[in-house]
Amino acid sequence: MMTNLFSMFDPSTIFFFNLSLNWMSLLLFIIIIPSFFWFIPNNLVLFYLKLLINLFNEFKIIIKKNNNNFNLMFISLFIFILINNFLGLFPYIFTSTSHLSINLSLSLPIWISSMLFGWLNLTNQMFIHLVPNGTPNLLISFMVLIELISNIIRPITLMIRLTANMIAGHLLLTLLGNMGFKLMYFLLPFLLFLQLILLMLESAVSIIQSYVFSILITLYFSEIY
């Protein structure tokens, strides 16, 4: 029995050694993706490769330095978030990206590593970013404070943005699904049609949010160069 409406996002299935099976959805992509490359290339594999090429070219524009390792890291982050967002739309699969702890673990390490690298190796350039061009002398100290605060809360805003968007759609689908027991029989087709539309919308949100998360963290990372 749920104690509140948001309890449906808490893992509840327990297996061996108090391990929640819901968190196993984080590992499903390891089983799914590599198996594609053992077969003759089909439309799904070609679409996947086309997606990787387009993402690589786009991240290459954002990161000015020609370093393919960074591009591959952000592409992997995009694919990881995208797959977990999509898996959450299937029945009885836990949406791991709807939890703050998972999303913070995706944004915080990259932000900390970029900040440490920037302040230790490019200190003068990091100070320059704190004062926008054309700032009056009287507002320099105030702008430095604002830029510092906005820089510090970046991983938190990334975490909250992804979590809120994932929770909102699943919460609406759950509320509509619980209404089915209270509606008249002739209203059920309309409810199913509405849920189908929302499911299509959630599929689009899954793609958009994974893209926005990876693009924003790439932009933050590129500012240290």
Side-chain angles (χ1 to χ4, degrees):
M1 181 177 179
M2 293 189 300
T3 57
N4 57 68
L5 189 59
F6 293 93
S7 296
M8 64 183 177
F9 299 105
D10 296 333
S12 58
T13 305
I14 304 299
F15 196 51
F16 296 115
F17 306 109
N18 293 327
L19 176 65
S20 177
L21 285 179
N22 292 294
W23 294 107
M24 296 300 292
S25 62
L26 287 168
L27 304 176
L28 289 179
F29 75 97
I30 300 177
I31 303 173
I32 296 173
I33 291 182
S35 62
F36 293 162
F37 301 99
W38 293 100
F39 300 100
I40 298 175
N42 49 33
N43 292 332
L44 183 60
V45 177
L46 295 177
F47 174 78
Y48 179 72
L49 294 177
K50 184 68 174 179
L51 176 63
L52 294 182
I53 294 173
N54 291 333
L55 288 173
F56 181 84
N57 294 330
E58 188 159 351
F59 289 145
K60 190 176 181 179
I61 297 174
I62 298 175
I63 301 177
K64 298 178 182 179
K65 286 194 174 182
N66 188 14
N67 196 326
N68 296 335
N69 296 329
F70 293 149
N71 295 336
L72 294 177
M73 178 179 66
F74 294 119
I75 290 174
S76 301
L77 179 65
F78 171 83
I79 297 298
F80 177 80
I81 297 175
L82 178 64
I83 291 177
N84 282 281
N85 290 348
F86 267 117
L87 287 176
L89 299 176
F90 290 93
Y92 303 106
I93 296 182
F94 174 65
T95 310
S96 57
T97 50
S98 65
H99 265 244
L100 294 173
S101 58
I102 296 297
N103 298 332
L104 185 62
S105 64
L106 295 175
S107 61
L108 189 60
I110 299 178
W111 178 82
I112 290 179
S113 60
S114 62
M115 287 297 103
L116 288 177
F117 177 82
W119 286 105
L120 293 177
N121 299 282
L122 305 169
T123 306
N124 293 332
Q125 188 170 347
M126 296 299 292
F127 276 115
I128 292 174
H129 284 301
L130 297 178
V131 182
N133 292 329
T135 304
N137 295 331
L138 295 176
L139 297 178
I140 288 179
S141 59
F142 183 66
M143 291 301 299
V144 169
L145 179 61
I146 292 178
E147 290 295 327
L148 278 175
I149 294 175
S150 64
N151 200 352
I152 291 173
I153 65 174
R154 280 177 176 178
I156 300 176
T157 55
L158 286 173
M159 169 190 67
I160 294 176
R161 180 185 291 107
L162 182 57
T163 303
N165 282 279
M166 288 298 102
I167 287 180
H170 290 72
L171 192 61
L172 187 57
L173 287 172
T174 303
L175 290 174
L176 290 176
N178 292 333
M179 291 175 55
F181 300 100
K182 302 178 182 179
L183 294 178
M184 299 293 183
Y185 289 109
F186 66 91
L187 293 177
L188 290 180
F190 298 99
L191 179 62
L192 292 175
F193 177 75
L194 182 59
Q195 283 191 316
L196 181 61
I197 297 298
L198 287 175
L199 190 61
M200 296 173 61
L201 179 62
E202 275 299 294
S203 300
V205 170
S206 300
I207 301 173
I208 294 172
Q209 289 305 314
S210 57
Y211 178 77
V212 169
F213 189 96
S214 57
I215 284 293
L216 286 178
I217 204 167
T218 306
L219 289 172
Y220 298 156
F221 186 83
S222 63
E223 287 184 0
I224 66 176
Y225 293 108

